[in-house]
Amino acid sequence: MPAVVHNFADIDFDLPGKHHYQVAFHLDGSWGYSLVPLTVINGTRGANANGVLCFGGTHGNEYEGQVSLKRLGTDLDPDQMAGRLVLMPQLSESACVANTRTSPLDGVNMNRAFPGNPRGTVSSRIANFVKTRIFPLGRIVIDIHSGGMEGAFPYCTSFHPIADPAQRAEIAKVSQLFDTGFVLIYSSAMASGLLSDEAEAEGKVTIGSELGAGASTDRLGVRHAYDGVKNVLRHYGLLDGQMVKIRPAGSVPTRLIKADKLDAYVPAPANGVWEPVVHPGQAVEKGELLGRLHDFSDHSSQGLNILAPRAGFVAMLHLGARPLKGQTLFVIAENVEWTEVTG
Ligand SMILES: [Zn+2]
């Protein structure tokens, strides 16, 4: 079993080779710890200025990142690598164990907990560990998500609108290395305290993603995550070899879409039973039927038709059949030319 680390200073992040740890964060309500898995690989083929930092299980019921990063931690050989790779496959460890989005220990959503607080609750202390101990180790940050029980997305990597042109262009380049059908530019205004917010603000090349849904382990989502991270390692010279295509030969080029303003995130107008008639990633016209909300208090009533307010691509659909009024029902994203972000 990996060593349990109580004092962060006991981790030698420069030690050559591959090292697995369980970082102990004490519980707030009882004697014990959240033991957060950490793997540090320092390649023996020399230094590399582009350390890569990968996170899974930021939301506990999203498994593609957990599985792919665990496998990378066992599969990668430091003698075939240069530079440093840090893997944290179950960042919100207590949520991962509980199969929940947020931590059952403190009710905190890890992806709203940044930059964290060294004297806060357990999720806040883990976030602060990432901010103060892990972020300084690299300039490439990858946070692997999937829709959990919230939403269904087309396979996509993602980033926020980025003001700095050089940072934006590099992020846009790296976002395509996961060979997903879509790259989504998403709004910064939906929420704050994201891991990606913090990394972007530090100027890092920051990649988010949505690679599955329904608290399952999506087979293709795991491939995008696993081979995508390896492509990133190859791109920056941490690993030798050619880039790997993940989608079938002949697939259309990765499409860039944006939902960078809040009006793209449409809330359910009422409680109901949701019957979508489009699928994630589908192109829709303005006014096209997206689905119906059914009210079973009167089963003779027509369903409420939900229409697309604009043309674009379905970037997210509410996953469960029972949206509540105010929950995001769908997102329609607009097509963007790559040259708009790459310059
Ligand atoms: Zn998530």
Side-chain angles (χ1 to χ4, degrees):
M1 285 293 286
V4 174
V5 176
H6 295 279
N7 299 309
F8 304 153
D10 291 346
I11 304 171
D12 180 355
F13 287 104
D14 298 321
L15 201 61
K18 176 157 61 180
H19 306 280
H20 300 289
Y21 307 95
Q22 301 180 85
V23 188
F25 294 85
H26 68 79
L27 303 181
D28 299 309
S30 60
W31 280 23
Y33 305 94
S34 176
L35 298 172
V36 177
L38 167 70
T39 298
V40 182
I41 303 176
N42 284 299
T44 58
R45 291 189 163 184
N48 187 303
N50 298 298
V52 177
L53 317 174
C54 299
F55 302 91
T58 304
H59 290 137
N61 60 356
E62 301 174 8
Y63 291 95
E64 291 75 5
Q66 298 179 44
V67 168
S68 58
L69 297 186
K70 176 178 180 288
R71 280 182 47 217
L72 286 166
T74 56
D75 292 356
L76 288 170
D77 178 358
D79 291 334
Q80 304 294 323
M81 294 176 65
R84 179 159 48 212
L85 170 66
V86 178
L87 303 168
M88 296 192 76
Q90 289 192 320
L91 186 61
S92 186
E93 183 265 349
S94 54
C96 294
V97 170
N99 185 31
T100 51
R101 179 174 174 84
T102 61
S103 168
L105 297 175
D106 55 12
V108 170
N109 177 347
M110 181 64 79
N111 213 28
R112 304 291 183 271
F114 280 77
N117 179 345
R119 298 192 178 282
T121 63
V122 63
S123 299
S124 186
R125 284 182 275 118
I126 294 170
N128 191 253
F129 170 79
V130 169
K131 165 75 176 169
T132 60
R133 303 280 174 161
I134 303 298
F135 277 4
L137 303 171
R139 60 178 294 272
I140 320 300
V141 171
I142 298 165
D143 190 17
I144 299 170
H145 286 253
S146 44
M149 297 307 291
E150 301 282 305
F153 297 79
Y155 298 112
C156 65
T157 52
S158 59
F159 55 91
H160 288 123
I162 302 283
D164 179 72
Q167 185 189 10
R168 182 173 64 230
E170 189 173 355
I171 288 174
K173 171 80 180 165
V174 175
S175 72
Q176 297 173 69
L177 300 176
F178 293 77
D179 195 24
T180 47
F182 292 88
V183 171
L184 172 67
I185 303 174
Y186 65 113
S187 169
S188 301
M190 277 293 278
S192 59
L194 278 67
L195 185 153
S196 54
D197 284 335
E198 203 62 37
E200 286 167 353
E202 289 192 19
K204 296 185 188 301
V205 174
T206 308
I207 305 295
S209 54
E210 303 289 353
L211 299 176
S216 63
T217 309
D218 186 281
R219 177 178 63 89
L220 292 175
V222 171
R223 275 208 66 199
H224 282 293
Y226 182 92
D227 286 321
V229 169
K230 286 180 88 169
N231 278 346
V232 174
L233 298 176
R234 295 181 186 111
H235 175 73
Y236 284 105
L238 280 78
L239 203 59
D240 286 340
Q242 296 292 314
M243 295 291 163
V244 170
K245 290 294 286 181
I246 299 163
R247 290 180 297 155
S251 297
V252 296
T254 297
R255 187 183 290 279
L256 180 64
I257 54 176
K258 72 174 176 185
D260 58 343
K261 300 194 176 58
L262 284 182
D263 64 1
Y265 302 74
V266 178
N271 295 353
V273 173
W274 173 230
E275 177 204 359
V277 301
V278 293
H279 61 81
Q282 184 171 329
V284 294
E285 298 298 329
K286 183 177 180 179
E288 187 170 334
L289 183 66
L290 301 176
R292 305 177 186 90
L293 265 182
H294 293 284
D295 175 5
F296 277 83
S297 67
D298 173 3
H299 76 275
S300 70
S301 64
Q302 291 282 347
L304 176 63
N305 286 342
I306 303 294
L307 307 179
R310 69 181 76 188
F313 292 86
V314 179
M316 177 266 191
L317 284 174
H318 189 89
L319 182 69
R322 303 297 298 268
L324 300 175
K325 180 178 179 180
Q327 288 184 325
T328 301
L329 191 58
F330 65 88
V331 178
I332 303 293
E334 299 168 279
N335 189 61
V336 185
E337 296 303 322
W338 280 104
T339 49
E340 269 190 49
V341 290
T342 56

